[in-house]
Amino acid sequence: MKSRFAIVFACSLFAFIAPAKNGAPRVQYDKQPLPRDANGVASFANVIRKVGPAVLTVSATKTVRDSGTRSPLDDPMLRRFFEDEEGTSSSRRGGRDRERLEQGVGSGVIISPDGYILSNNHVVEGADEIKVRFSTGGPEYQARLVGTDPPTDIAVLKINVTNSLTPITLTDSSTLQVGDVVLAVGNPFGVGQTVTMGIVSATGRGGFGIVDYEDFIQTDASINPGNSGGALVDALGRLVGIPTAIVSRSGGSMGIGFAVPVDLARYVMERIITEGRVIRGYLGVYVQEVTPELAKAFNVAEGTGALVGGVVTNSPAMRAGVREGDVILEMNDKKVDDSRGLRLAIAQAAPNSTATFKVLREGQTRSYRINLGQLQIDDEPTPVPERSRTPPARRNDNIPGIEISDLDNRTRTQLGIPQDVRGAMIMNVERDSLAAENGLRPGDVIMEVNKQKIRTAREFTDLTRKATGSILLRIWSRMGNRYVVIESPRRQR
């Protein structure tokens, strides 16, 4: 592996200080590709000697009111690496709710000489006070929260220490390949700075529901509570990701960890610093994966683009002529691999910019130039479904496991269903039924059957009774419109 060490030290000379743009911090950036023609490494000590000073311990203290509710972080399957050290400074002892001080220990990475630090939102969320400590020891420093972006779980901090900082070098995370060696650096369980080694197990992971925009690097490098917000670096010591979540049954590492790619983290960081928040582009479509069943229903190749399950009224997509059932193949001449990739691309596009889309509709391709809007954050809570005096539900033997009803105005108001949504409402779904397996839930509204619009439960029953093969449904739900394919029971016989 002598050749690799030679390249390591040579490549490190190519690192440069990226010029600041519109107030963004000056970061060290090295986009030279990794050497992939060597067979082994005797030691990463020199790499860690360079990286270690850039990784900090982040302590966040907040006052919480204990009302006995269960935290989402109690989920043993998908934990974020946030080691809680709870105190009991109660100001209302004996009351129904108890206030206490809670301290979380995570990690952070210095990314610029003027003291900017990348970390995770969930490490500092709701904190009253944030302090950082260098791995080399010394005093704790007060950190200022510059801003956070919960949809990507990124936070930006800043410390007023500039004369002794050793910022990490960033690289282009899009060039990572499965099998590349990576090192995770952080403070797991509060034991002090720890380094673990593994490889890139996969890239572009998502669909877990951890955050809104998921494009994770998956690694088997051991990551544990306290690693959140730390550094995932390549074999040259360049930052490629920010560790964020793990799959675990025990709360500790099981060889499946996820990190936010540094390309995405850097984009979010620069928006927070220069604009105060992340302003995202907006197209106004609900998109979903093209599964084998949907590919057959829409006569497209499996895994082709992103299927439009719904178009938001008065959105840029609607004004341009995009329709439900369209398959978006390209955006700005770049292939759309899946719905998650399309959402990320639109979110990172500038509002009011023009984007070009290639769309497949009924076997023919169309091109659209669309002026994107700005994604608005809806702070209004989602209405809580209630059972009310709705028309009586009826079972449907054509799709076993569901009970449906007409959608009346009272139910529409209680569930917050838009006025332009018409169809049959699902009142009940039996556990382990075919409907449940396909994601149908009470409160969903069936708007189409085999591309035919319906308005009543009777129309739904009539159309499904006539179906002899797969049944294509278009569904409205609070999570967005989508298509679902269900095999007819008669065909299964």
Side-chain angles (χ1 to χ4, degrees):
M1 193 49 202
K2 293 182 179 178
S3 62
R4 178 160 234 186
F5 270 108
I7 295 175
V8 165
F9 295 124
C11 284
S12 63
L13 298 177
F14 285 102
F16 65 94
I17 303 295
K21 297 180 180 179
N22 300 323
R26 291 162 54 89
V27 301
Q28 294 184 128
Y29 188 70
D30 176 10
K31 64 179 182 179
Q32 294 294 317
L34 280 171
R36 294 187 171 90
D37 56 354
N39 298 316
V41 174
S43 174
F44 286 102
N46 289 333
V47 174
I48 298 306
R49 192 174 296 114
K50 178 176 63 174
V51 170
V55 182
L56 308 175
T57 295
V58 177
S59 299
T61 304
K62 61 182 175 181
T63 303
V64 297
R65 178 171 295 176
D66 190 357
S67 59
T69 57
R70 183 178 175 85
S71 168
L73 300 185
D74 293 334
D75 184 354
M77 278 299 294
L78 275 170
R79 291 181 186 269
R80 292 167 177 174
F81 331 129
F82 195 37
E83 178 66 12
D84 289 334
E85 299 174 358
E86 299 179 0
T88 55
S89 177
S90 173
S91 61
R92 296 182 58 187
R93 298 186 184 276
R96 179 173 299 176
D97 292 337
R98 174 174 295 180
E99 290 185 354
R100 56 187 170 82
L101 289 180
E102 183 176 274
Q103 185 178 53
V105 179
S107 303
V109 188
I110 300 172
I111 53 86
S112 69
D114 52 348
Y116 281 103
I117 298 169
L118 271 176
S119 187
N120 281 143
N121 170 64
H122 74 264
V123 170
V124 298
E125 186 174 18
D128 301 314
E129 184 180 54
I130 304 171
K131 292 184 178 180
V132 301
R133 185 174 63 252
F134 289 88
S135 61
T136 53
E140 285 189 319
Y141 293 91
Q142 198 82 26
R144 174 173 64 88
L145 180 62
V146 179
T148 65
D149 183 52
T152 56
D153 199 27
I154 291 297
V156 180
L157 314 176
K158 194 173 189 303
I159 55 175
N160 293 324
V161 180
T162 58
N163 58 353
S164 59
L165 298 182
T166 307
I168 203 165
T169 297
L170 282 62
T171 191
D172 183 355
S173 56
S174 68
T175 64
L176 276 180
Q177 296 182 21
V178 174
D180 286 351
V181 172
V182 286
L183 307 170
V185 188
N187 184 6
F189 297 109
V191 300
Q193 187 172 99
T194 302
V195 181
T196 56
M197 185 184 77
I199 63 170
V200 174
S201 305
T203 58
R205 289 295 198 210
F208 306 112
I210 304 171
V211 291
D212 291 342
Y213 296 99
E214 298 178 344
D215 189 31
F216 294 128
I217 301 165
Q218 181 183 329
T219 179
D220 66 345
S222 183
I223 297 174
N224 289 287
N227 275 105
S228 274
L232 188 71
V233 302
D234 63 16
L236 302 184
R238 303 173 303 182
L239 186 68
V240 297
I242 305 295
T244 297
I246 58 174
V247 174
S248 176
R249 295 185 183 277
S250 63
S253 173
M254 295 186 68
I256 301 179
F258 301 109
V260 178
V262 73
D263 290 357
L264 178 57
R266 181 183 179 185
Y267 169 82
V268 169
M269 174 193 70
E270 290 179 349
R271 299 288 80 71
I272 289 174
I273 293 173
T274 60
E275 300 169 12
R277 61 190 178 98
V278 182
I279 301 175
R280 294 184 164 91
Y282 173 68
L283 181 60
V285 294
Y286 299 106
V287 290
Q288 62 186 111
E289 300 300 307
V290 180
T291 63
E293 297 79 12
L294 289 171
K296 184 176 180 180
F298 286 90
N299 194 28
V300 298
E302 181 182 344
T304 299
L307 175 63
V308 178
V311 181
V312 179
T313 303
N314 295 325
S315 66
M318 173 171 279
R319 291 192 292 269
V322 177
R323 299 179 186 174
E324 297 87 356
D326 287 350
V327 178
I328 300 178
L329 304 175
E330 294 181 3
M331 176 179 171
N332 291 334
D333 298 322
K334 293 183 179 180
K335 180 183 176 183
V336 172
D337 293 320
D338 51 36
S339 59
R340 185 169 46 82
L342 177 63
R343 291 184 69 242
L344 282 167
I346 294 171
Q348 294 186 47
N352 302 317
S353 64
T354 300
T356 59
F357 295 88
K358 181 182 288 186
V359 171
L360 182 66
R361 178 186 300 168
E362 297 179 352
Q364 296 184 341
T365 57
R366 301 166 180 256
S367 295
Y368 294 94
R369 286 178 57 84
I370 302 178
N371 293 322
L372 299 177
Q374 179 177 319
L375 182 65
Q376 302 295 326
I377 300 176
D378 186 4
D379 293 325
E380 292 297 321
T382 301
V384 178
E386 300 178 22
R387 298 196 66 86
S388 61
R389 292 176 292 177
T390 57
R394 63 182 74 180
R395 294 184 61 84
N396 186 281
D397 294 332
N398 306 306
I399 301 180
I402 65 171
E403 295 180 358
I404 59 172
S405 171
D406 289 339
L407 177 59
D408 64 357
N409 289 331
R410 180 185 180 89
T411 304
R412 182 187 298 278
T413 300
Q414 288 181 334
L415 300 185
I417 300 173
Q419 290 295 324
D420 59 349
V421 173
R422 296 287 186 271
M425 191 178 74
I426 298 176
M427 299 296 296
N428 185 50
V429 179
E430 294 179 3
R431 183 179 299 179
D432 299 326
S433 66
L434 192 62
E437 291 176 2
N438 282 274
L440 300 184
R441 298 289 183 267
D444 289 353
V445 178
I446 303 171
M447 299 184 291
E448 292 182 10
V449 176
N450 289 335
K451 300 184 181 179
Q452 295 187 52
K453 294 182 179 180
I454 64 170
R455 299 176 66 91
T456 66
R458 179 178 293 277
E459 290 178 356
F460 171 78
T461 300
D462 290 343
L463 287 174
T464 54
R465 184 182 294 122
K466 297 175 183 177
T468 57
S470 299
I471 301 174
L472 177 66
L473 307 177
R474 192 162 77 89
I475 306 295
W476 175 93
S477 73
R478 280 172 288 278
M479 300 302 293
N481 298 358
R482 70 189 190 280
Y483 285 96
V484 174
V485 176
I486 296 181
E487 289 291 330
S488 169
R490 286 189 289 274
R491 182 175 180 180
Q492 292 180 337
R493 298 192 194 104

